[in-house]
Amino acid sequence: MKRWTITGRVTLLYTLFMVLLAGIALGFLFFAGAQSARQGKLARMQAMAAASGREIDARDGELEIDRDLEAFDDGVYLSVYDAKGVPLYGFVPRSFDNSAVFAAGELRTVESNGHTWYLYDEPLQVDEYGTLWVRTVTAADAVDSTLGALLRAAVLVLPVFVVLAAVCGYLVTRRALRPVRQITQTAREIGAGNDLSRRIGLGDGRDEIHTLAGEFDAMFARLEDAFTREKQFTDDASHELRTPVAVILSQSEYALDHAEDPAETRAALESIHARAGEMAALLSQLLLLARADKGRQPIHREALDLSELVAMVAETEAEQAAARDIALHTEIEPGVMVQGDETLLMRLFINLLENGIRYGRPGGWLRLTLRRDGDTAVAVVADNGIGIAPENLEHIWQRFWQADPARSGGGAGLGLAMVRWIAEAHGGTVTVESTVGEGSAFTFTMPVLLS
């Protein structure tokens, strides 16, 4: 049975259950029918015996039996005997042995000449005459034959019932498992065609199979998104690494061709060094994000004065902002304590500030504020730079995504992806509000350290 399909197994079990149920029901019906038929015959025999008392009388010691007394009715024979067992009136079946002794008010079953009979005797007191016995007899075979006919009919009907039960069970099971076949077919087609955009699409439903199909569709969507991001990641990483590698190769060749000129060689080596530094920084960021995706990036939490950390980062980035003719202003509430990783939080604020400097407007401003709001530390990095289009606000957190690569300012597009991961790793959030041509404001929140 292990090799059977679920439809076959369910159909078999359903059929066996229906046959068992039908067998129990038929057994009960036959038992109840037999009892009912037996009780019906007994009631008829008792009624005929009781009615005979109204038709028998005696006068001057002579017994008078009304000729209207029925001696046979509906298969029941009636006969009247005196106290010594001498027949006075009525009939008994031809093959019935009438030698059975009398037993008052008792329904008996007797065997006679290969037949089974129901026998009922009742004493009758007749004034001026004495005791009489009224005996009623009927063939038990008649009752049994009726039940036998019903049994034969049931034996003929039962196979038809079994076939109908099997067919109905198969159709019901097949219809119930149709969504499962659709899930299997869709999964097979996705595997054969590597098309993760396919969906099962069972629609709305509250049963377990619709829920399962919905989960499969959600899983396919996540897989499609993951593969798309992986492909995009590979393409973007290749693109970002190709330029510095090409520069390193060309500068190396140039340095080898001008080895006799120290100045040219030094310039080439400086270019190679700068590009190698960019590659090292890019690879470091990629490694951190890869570890973060796998949950293997360690986070060393400790009590930190976030106010001091933010002030130190602002002081470090002020020189770079001045080089772009951007004024960096700070409003930092002192004593904002948090529990976090100092290196990662520094990287978060460095990325936000460098993002503001990179996309800032020469002669513009960059403002960094930090304050405590209840149990939350709130930091805002705002600028009056080029801003972000509304349709791009959700894309800026994606790795390597850049709205305008020509205006990227040398970034690889990983900074904001790192910012979001660091914020979430510290139980915080980061959001952005921006208007094209007016600037952007990034808001970072995280729980403060309660004393």
Side-chain angles (χ1 to χ4, degrees):
M1 191 170 177
K2 291 182 178 179
R3 296 184 179 180
W4 284 33
T5 63
I6 294 178
T7 302
R9 280 181 280 179
V10 172
T11 301
L12 178 61
L13 293 176
Y14 174 80
T15 303
L16 292 176
F17 173 76
M18 293 302 294
V19 170
L20 178 62
L21 184 63
I24 294 174
L26 288 175
F28 175 78
L29 289 176
F30 278 115
F31 176 78
Q35 293 296 321
S36 176
R38 191 169 183 270
Q39 292 298 323
K41 283 296 183 182
L42 175 60
R44 181 59 187 161
M45 294 166 72
Q46 290 175 332
M48 290 180 66
S52 64
R54 297 190 294 271
E55 306 296 337
I56 299 175
D57 199 0
R59 182 176 298 176
D60 299 329
E62 293 293 329
L63 188 66
E64 295 182 356
I65 300 177
D66 193 333
R67 295 302 176 182
D68 292 335
L69 176 62
E70 294 182 352
F72 178 81
D73 183 35
D74 194 21
V76 179
Y77 295 85
L78 182 142
S79 54
V80 180
Y81 306 83
D82 63 12
K84 296 180 180 181
V86 177
L88 300 177
Y89 179 82
F91 306 100
V92 294
R94 185 186 299 267
S95 57
F96 175 69
D97 183 3
N98 204 24
S99 61
V101 298
F102 295 106
E106 180 181 342
L107 179 66
R108 292 175 289 165
T109 302
V110 297
E111 300 289 337
S112 176
N113 297 321
H115 297 281
T116 303
W117 308 89
Y118 290 142
L119 183 62
Y120 178 78
D121 298 325
E122 187 172 300
L124 179 65
Q125 295 294 330
V126 179
D127 294 339
E128 299 184 13
Y129 186 83
T131 301
L132 297 177
W133 284 94
V134 179
R135 168 168 287 179
T136 53
V137 180
T138 188
D141 297 343
V143 178
D144 295 338
S145 63
T146 302
L147 294 177
L150 292 176
L151 179 60
R152 288 190 294 274
V155 170
L156 294 176
V157 171
L158 186 60
V160 178
F161 175 80
V162 171
V163 173
L164 289 177
V167 171
C168 292
Y170 175 79
L171 294 177
V172 171
T173 305
R174 183 174 177 82
R175 180 178 179 84
L177 293 179
R178 183 186 301 169
V180 176
R181 294 194 299 275
Q182 184 175 344
I183 293 173
T184 304
Q185 181 63 25
T186 303
R188 185 181 295 116
E189 292 174 356
I190 290 175
N194 294 322
D195 183 9
L196 290 175
S197 64
R198 291 288 305 277
R199 297 293 181 268
I200 299 171
L202 286 186
D204 297 331
R206 298 182 179 179
D207 58 82
E208 292 81 354
I209 295 181
H210 280 78
T211 302
L212 176 63
E215 291 298 323
F216 269 116
D217 283 342
M219 181 186 69
F220 290 146
R222 291 192 296 269
L223 287 175
E224 181 185 13
D225 182 62
F227 278 110
T228 301
R229 285 190 288 108
E230 181 180 358
K231 183 179 182 299
Q232 186 66 35
F233 173 83
T234 303
D235 294 342
D236 292 337
S238 301
H239 175 76
E240 292 295 333
L241 291 173
R242 182 173 56 186
T243 300
V245 169
V247 172
I248 288 174
L249 290 175
S250 64
Q251 291 297 324
S252 298
E253 293 173 358
Y254 182 82
L256 291 173
D257 292 339
H258 298 81
E260 69 282 356
D261 188 343
E264 295 290 342
T265 302
R266 182 179 180 83
L269 291 176
E270 288 178 350
S271 178
I272 291 173
H273 183 269
R275 293 297 181 176
E278 292 177 6
M279 291 179 61
L282 176 60
L283 292 174
S284 176
Q285 293 176 356
L286 290 176
L287 179 60
L288 186 147
L289 290 174
R291 288 175 176 172
D293 288 341
K294 296 181 179 180
R296 297 191 303 179
Q297 175 61 36
I299 300 177
H300 305 288
R301 300 182 186 275
E302 57 181 330
L304 295 174
D305 189 330
L306 189 62
S307 301
E308 292 184 359
L309 185 144
V310 170
M312 180 176 61
V313 173
E315 184 178 352
T316 302
E317 297 297 320
E319 183 177 350
Q320 184 178 347
R324 291 286 308 274
D325 193 22
I326 295 176
L328 177 58
H329 307 286
T330 60
E331 297 179 12
I332 301 173
E333 179 180 334
V336 178
M337 301 297 296
V338 297
Q339 186 86 14
D341 188 306
E342 181 178 11
T343 303
L344 293 179
L345 289 176
M346 287 184 64
R347 171 52 56 189
L348 181 145
F349 284 101
I350 289 173
N351 287 356
L352 288 177
L353 288 174
E354 288 185 350
N355 185 77
I357 294 171
R358 183 177 298 114
Y359 297 102
R361 194 185 305 278
W365 50 265
L366 180 64
R367 182 178 296 109
L368 170 60
T369 63
L370 174 67
R371 59 186 175 84
R372 175 170 175 168
D373 184 6
D375 297 337
T376 305
V378 181
V380 180
V381 177
D383 63 69
N384 64 340
I386 61 176
I388 306 169
E391 64 272 15
N392 295 329
L393 288 177
E394 285 301 317
H395 298 294
I396 62 174
W397 310 107
Q398 299 175 6
R399 299 172 189 179
F400 293 109
W401 188 88
Q402 295 174 357
D404 186 0
R407 303 175 64 184
S408 65
L414 294 176
L416 293 180
M418 292 181 62
V419 166
R420 167 165 281 188
W421 174 78
I422 294 172
E424 292 176 350
H426 285 80
T429 62
V430 60
T431 57
V432 60
E433 295 179 359
S434 184
T435 303
V436 176
E438 297 183 9
S440 306
F442 289 83
T443 302
F444 163 66
T445 64
M446 69 174 293
V448 298
L449 179 62
L450 300 177
S451 57

